[in-house]
Amino acid sequence: MGKIIALANQKGGVGKTTTTINLAASLATLEKKVLVIDADPQANASSGLGVDIQQIDGSVYECLIKKMDIREAIYTTDVIDNLDIVPSHIDLVGAEIEMLNLKNREKVMKDMLAPLKKEYDYILIDCSPSLGLITVNSLTAADSVIIPVQCEYFALEGISKLLNTIKIIKSKLNPTLEIEGFLLTMYDSRLRLHNQVYDEVKRHFQELVFRTVIQRNVKLSEAPSHGIPVILYDADSTGARNHLALAQEIVKRNDKE
C-alpha cells in the first residue's frame, strides 16, 4: 500500500516544488514507483518534470471538477523510470469556487487518489502556497505532510498558521494525518542567520526535523529550466546529493513502520 505525502506551506518561495520534483526523482532512482500530483495552478512541478502544459488533455482540474478518470490524466515522464505525474493547469485557480457546491467537497481528492494507492509506493502532492480548498483537499487525502522551511527570518511565522490548519483537518477530516517532517531548505552554513533558524526549528520541533538539510545550490535552481530534476542535470551536485539523502531518510523511516 502506497503512502500519500503532501508538501505544504502557505508561505511562497520556500522550496515546495523544488523539493517535490527532486524528492520524487530521488525516490524513483531508489526504485520506488512514484506519482506526483501537481496541485498548484502555477504548474511548476509539471514543467519541471518536462510536461508541456499546452499539449496535455487532462490535468488535476479535470479530475477534480469534471470527474475525469485520474488514470487518463497520468503522464509518464520521459525523464526518469518509475516516475509519473498528474499535471496541473491554470484552470485550477477557479476550481475552489467550482467545488463549493460539491458534496463532501473537502474529500474529492481523497476519493480521486484512493484507487492509486495500491499502484504506487509514494504519491507526492505539491500544494499551492495558500490554505484554500485545494490544499485542504490535499491534506485530507494525505497520510502525512512534509513542511519545507526556508532558512530565513520570517520562516517560523507562517508555520503556526499551517500547524493550526493541520490540527483542524486532523480533528475534523483526516484523523490519521501525521507530520512526516520539517525540511530546512536554502540553507547556507556560512550565514549566522541560517544557523540560528536551524537551531530554532530544531529546538521547537526536535525529532520532527529531518536530519537532511537542503543547501543553497546553483544547479538546483538551474535544473527546472531544462525540464529535468537535478539528479539528471548534475548527479554530483550538492542539490542532487541532498535530495537523495532525504529520499533515503524517508524510505528508511517508512520501512520501519
Side-chain angles (χ1 to χ4, degrees):
M1 198 65 159
K3 183 166 196 179
I4 301 177
I5 303 176
L7 287 94
N9 190 334
Q10 79 280 8
K11 195 170 181 303
V14 296
K16 275 191 303 293
T17 301
T18 302
T19 304
T20 305
I21 293 169
N22 293 295
L23 173 58
S26 299
L27 287 166
T29 305
L30 297 174
E31 299 186 343
K32 300 293 179 187
K33 197 152 171 36
V34 186
L35 176 67
V36 172
I37 305 292
D38 190 350
D40 184 348
Q42 294 174 71
N44 291 337
S46 306
S47 56
L49 285 173
V51 177
D52 183 350
I53 312 299
Q54 308 305 321
Q55 303 297 322
I56 61 173
D57 298 318
S59 69
V60 170
Y61 173 79
E62 277 77 19
C63 298
L64 288 173
I65 304 299
K66 301 188 173 169
K67 298 291 172 272
M68 179 186 215
D69 181 347
I70 189 163
R71 286 189 179 82
E72 291 177 28
I74 292 174
Y75 289 76
T76 304
T77 64
D78 299 330
V79 295
I80 217 158
D81 288 343
N82 291 327
L83 178 55
D84 297 338
I85 181 167
V86 178
S88 185
H89 193 276
I90 192 66
D91 289 350
L92 200 58
V93 170
E96 307 222 337
I97 295 162
E98 293 179 65
M99 288 169 80
L100 286 176
N101 297 324
L102 294 180
K103 196 171 172 230
N104 284 336
R105 59 178 181 249
E106 297 90 356
K107 297 187 175 174
V108 180
M109 193 179 291
K110 187 183 177 84
D111 297 340
M112 176 180 106
L113 296 180
L116 298 178
K117 279 190 88 168
K118 294 189 288 287
E119 296 171 29
Y120 289 92
D121 297 308
Y122 291 95
I123 297 174
L124 303 183
I125 308 174
D126 184 26
C127 298
S128 67
S130 75
L131 293 177
L133 191 51
I134 304 285
T135 300
V136 168
N137 259 269
S138 302
L139 293 172
T140 304
D143 298 305
S144 65
V145 54
I146 290 174
I147 303 170
V149 181
Q150 189 182 358
C151 292
E152 293 296 346
Y153 181 68
F154 292 116
L156 292 167
E157 276 197 353
I159 293 179
S160 57
K161 279 199 194 85
L162 180 60
L163 291 178
N164 198 36
T165 303
I166 290 170
K167 197 170 154 192
I168 293 165
I169 285 169
K170 223 174 139 115
S171 67
K172 294 190 163 41
L173 296 164
N174 184 2
T176 57
L177 182 65
E178 298 292 336
I179 291 176
E180 187 77 25
F182 291 86
L183 175 69
L184 286 143
T185 61
M186 306 180 204
Y187 175 72
D188 186 339
S189 58
R190 296 165 303 180
L191 300 177
R192 195 167 68 187
L193 173 64
H194 286 202
N195 290 307
Q196 284 171 344
V197 172
Y198 177 86
D199 292 341
E200 185 79 356
V201 172
K202 197 82 181 135
R203 192 169 58 80
H204 257 30
F205 303 110
Q206 297 164 0
E207 296 306 306
L208 286 174
V209 181
F210 285 109
R211 282 197 310 278
T212 306
V213 172
I214 307 299
Q215 290 161 275
R216 216 178 259 288
N217 180 239
V218 174
K219 301 286 187 203
L220 201 52
S221 311
E222 289 173 357
S225 64
H226 298 270
I228 52 174
V230 71
I231 202 161
L232 291 183
Y233 183 61
D234 184 347
D236 288 328
S237 65
T238 306
R241 290 201 307 269
N242 287 165
H243 284 95
L244 199 53
L246 175 65
Q248 286 163 335
E249 192 175 338
I250 288 169
V251 168
K252 198 171 164 189
R253 189 185 289 184
N254 286 292
D255 285 352
K256 272 187 195 162
E257 289 171 8

